[in-house]
């Protein structure tokens, strides 16, 4: 999708995201910085090296310099984006988030004091989305997240494995049959060498990431986690209690199976879940939705949901409707009663798919085991 592809670096771009990389390039005898993107580095003490390099065509994003070095670089052709001190996040970050970063301090304080909550409160200040400095910071941040997500897709985590999306309602409460079903789906997918991707929020999203995270845990431990989480069934009224219950499960199982969550601060009332080990959190929901659909090259399983899930079904259907044969991915809707009667998306999806390449790649099943079988075929 064009929204995601525009975030990918060009072949001539060199991402310099650590001092070790910078020093290695300098030691190798590099003379020009053409195409360098130097991101969030403290370059104090390296003025001599910078003076010896030709910075024409280089971009510095949120770096710190010795006195006078910044003016020298700019005067010799470098483009410098300054550090933005008035925002509660790093717009130039080079990595995805982790739950521990977003929820840092949750064990001893309230959710409202965490990074995740502070960023959301910043984003909804009156008039914030119309302020140039705020929209610029948010756009730079989302670009950085897109770049980090691109790095993830080229990493060992995704090598030789397809990514399967799990979509469903955020309102599914811990301790319910639907939550357990979603957790079982995530567990089965990860056990079948799939990378699980969700919208990164609560409900069925949390459950699918949980199942993936505990995919290598014994059945007894998996069931214990479900029981423990059910003691705090929802993030309402207390996100703090909800997150602490999840953090306790993670603490018992360090090194769980990685999975991806792609949440958004646009829906800030939905906190990110603690079980997606890699969190690509965006400000722009439209970009987040488009990228999540694009990444799911192994198909998407749609569990029962309402407005948001229905939107995702037909957004994915649109991609498959207009896509070339090789880009069409499976769509698996779980729950005859839900998708035929409560929210009759299936008949419309069938009509849309009739006579198209996607017709043989849409499925309606009743269990997550059937969904896994469909994907395997």
């Amino acid at each position: 999708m064009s929204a995601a592809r525009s975030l990918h670096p060009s072949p001539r771009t060199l991402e310099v995201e650590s001092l070790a990389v910078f020093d290695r390039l300098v030691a190798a005898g590099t003379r020009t910085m053409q195409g360098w993107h130097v991101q969030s580095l403290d370059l104090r003490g390296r003025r001599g090296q910078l003076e010896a390099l030709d910075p024409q065509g280089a971009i510095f994003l949120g770096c710190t310099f010795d006195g006078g070095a910044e003016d020298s670089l700019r005067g010799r052709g470098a483009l410098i984006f300054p550090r933005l001190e008035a925002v509660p996040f790093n717009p130039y970050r080079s990595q995805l988030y982790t739950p521990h970063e977003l929820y840092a301090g949750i064990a001893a304080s309230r959710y409202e004091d965490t990074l995740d909550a502070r960023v959301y409160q910043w984003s909804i200040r009156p008039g914030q989305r119309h302020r140039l400095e705020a929209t610029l910071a948010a756009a730079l941040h989302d670009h950085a997240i897109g770049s980090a997500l691109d790095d993830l897709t080229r990493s060992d985590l995704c090598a030789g494995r397809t990514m399967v999306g799990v979509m469903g309602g955020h309102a599914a409460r811990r301790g319910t049959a639907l939550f357990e079903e979603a957790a079982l789906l995530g567990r089965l997918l990860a056990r079948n060498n799939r990378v699980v991707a969700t919208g990164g929020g609560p409900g069925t999203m949390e459950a699918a990431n949980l199942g993936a995270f505990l995919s290598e845990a014994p059945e007894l431990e998996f069931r214990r986690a479900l029981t423990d989480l059910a003691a705090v069934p929802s993030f309402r009224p207390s996100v703090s209690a909800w997150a602490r219950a999840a953090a306790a499960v993670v603490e018992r199982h360090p090194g769980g199976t990685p999975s991806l969550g792609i949440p958004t601060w646009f829906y800030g009332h939905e906190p990110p879940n603690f079980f997606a080990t890699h969190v690509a959190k965006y400000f722009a929901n439209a970009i987040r939705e488009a990228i999540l659909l694009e990444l799911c090259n192994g198909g998407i399983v749609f569990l029962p949901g309402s407005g948001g899930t229905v939107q995702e079904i037909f957004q994915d259907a649109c991609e498959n409707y207009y896509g070339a044969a090789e880009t069409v991915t499976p769509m698996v809707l779980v729950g005859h009663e839900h998708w035929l009667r409560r929210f009759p998306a299936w008949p419309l999806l069938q009509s849309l798919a009739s006579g198209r390449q996607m017709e043989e790649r849409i499925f309606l099943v009743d269990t997550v085991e059937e969904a896994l079988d469909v994907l395997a075929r």
Side-chain angles (χ1 to χ4, degrees):
M1 221 168 292
S2 59
R5 291 192 188 107
S6 66
L7 298 177
H8 296 183
S10 71
R12 294 184 300 277
T13 296
L14 180 59
E15 303 287 349
V16 183
E17 297 172 344
S18 72
L19 289 174
V21 171
F22 178 86
D23 291 339
R24 188 163 60 248
L25 290 169
V26 172
T30 301
R31 289 291 176 263
T32 177
M33 301 179 75
Q34 177 71 41
W36 288 23
H37 287 183
V38 187
Q39 200 159 323
S40 294
L41 298 189
D42 185 347
L43 293 167
R44 288 174 295 186
R46 287 171 171 78
R47 182 169 181 174
Q49 292 95 317
L50 292 170
E51 292 287 354
L53 293 166
D54 177 4
Q56 181 72 39
I59 299 176
F60 292 84
L61 302 157
C63 295
T64 306
F65 304 94
D66 290 316
E70 184 174 338
D71 290 340
S72 171
L73 289 167
R74 187 178 287 111
R76 292 183 292 133
L79 179 61
I80 299 178
F81 286 81
R83 294 173 63 86
L84 301 177
E85 304 292 352
V87 298
F89 56 89
N90 178 6
Y92 310 115
R93 61 181 299 118
S94 60
Q95 296 178 323
L96 299 179
Y97 291 100
T98 67
H100 295 88
E101 181 182 3
L102 291 171
Y103 282 108
I106 191 66
S109 61
R110 304 173 308 153
Y111 168 71
E112 289 76 12
D113 299 322
T114 64
L115 173 63
D116 187 67
R118 287 187 284 109
V119 174
Y120 175 57
Q121 289 303 316
W122 172 87
S123 75
I124 61 172
R125 288 176 185 169
Q128 188 78 305
R129 290 176 180 167
H130 302 289
R131 293 192 176 100
L132 178 60
E133 69 278 11
T135 55
L136 176 60
L140 288 168
H141 170 276
D142 284 2
H143 174 90
I145 290 295
S147 179
L149 192 52
D150 191 58
D151 291 340
L152 178 72
T153 62
R154 296 196 300 264
S155 71
D156 291 342
L157 172 64
C158 297
R161 306 169 69 195
T162 58
M163 187 174 289
V164 175
V166 178
M167 311 291 186
H170 72 273
R173 294 166 66 87
R174 296 165 172 173
T176 63
L178 179 54
F179 188 92
E180 182 175 330
E181 185 178 50
L184 178 60
L185 175 60
R187 183 169 165 88
L188 292 173
L189 286 170
R191 285 189 159 191
N192 281 267
N193 204 34
R194 312 296 181 96
V195 179
V196 173
T198 77
T204 53
M205 295 173 281
E206 179 190 39
N209 287 127
L210 164 69
F213 186 80
L214 295 181
S215 60
E216 298 302 318
E219 180 73 14
L220 190 62
E221 286 298 313
F222 174 61
R223 295 292 166 185
R224 179 188 173 188
L226 290 172
T227 300
D228 289 352
L229 291 173
V232 187
S234 174
F235 61 92
R236 296 189 177 100
S238 172
V239 177
S240 301
W242 177 81
R244 287 186 196 120
V249 172
V250 171
E251 188 175 354
R252 284 204 311 269
H253 298 278
T257 300
S259 68
L260 176 64
I262 309 185
T264 173
W265 278 293
F266 184 80
Y267 295 135
H269 60 285
E270 296 181 15
N273 75 68
F274 222 103
F275 299 107
T277 57
H278 297 72
V279 183
K281 191 154 192 180
Y282 285 88
F283 287 100
N285 184 54
I287 294 176
R288 166 251 192 175
E289 292 274 9
I291 289 176
L292 178 56
L293 292 175
E294 182 189 356
L295 289 177
C296 295
N297 55 1
I300 298 178
V301 179
F302 297 93
L303 296 170
S306 53
T309 310
V310 172
Q311 174 191 330
E312 288 158 350
I313 288 173
F314 289 104
Q315 192 171 346
D316 192 28
C318 185
E319 295 294 321
N320 284 331
Y321 184 88
Y322 290 110
E326 62 273 15
T327 68
V328 176
T329 55
M331 301 178 64
V332 187
L333 278 61
V334 179
H336 280 76
E337 176 67 26
H338 191 86
W339 297 120
L340 281 173
R341 295 174 183 84
R342 184 174 183 189
F343 295 107
W346 176 250
L348 180 54
L349 184 60
Q350 279 187 304
S351 298
L352 191 67
S354 180
R356 310 289 296 190
Q357 295 281 355
M358 64 186 287
E359 187 173 16
E360 300 302 317
R361 313 216 68 184
I362 62 169
F363 307 91
L364 178 63
V365 300
D366 260 330
T367 68
V368 296
E369 290 88 352
E370 290 175 303
L372 188 71
D373 183 57
V374 163
L375 292 173
R377 290 189 274 115

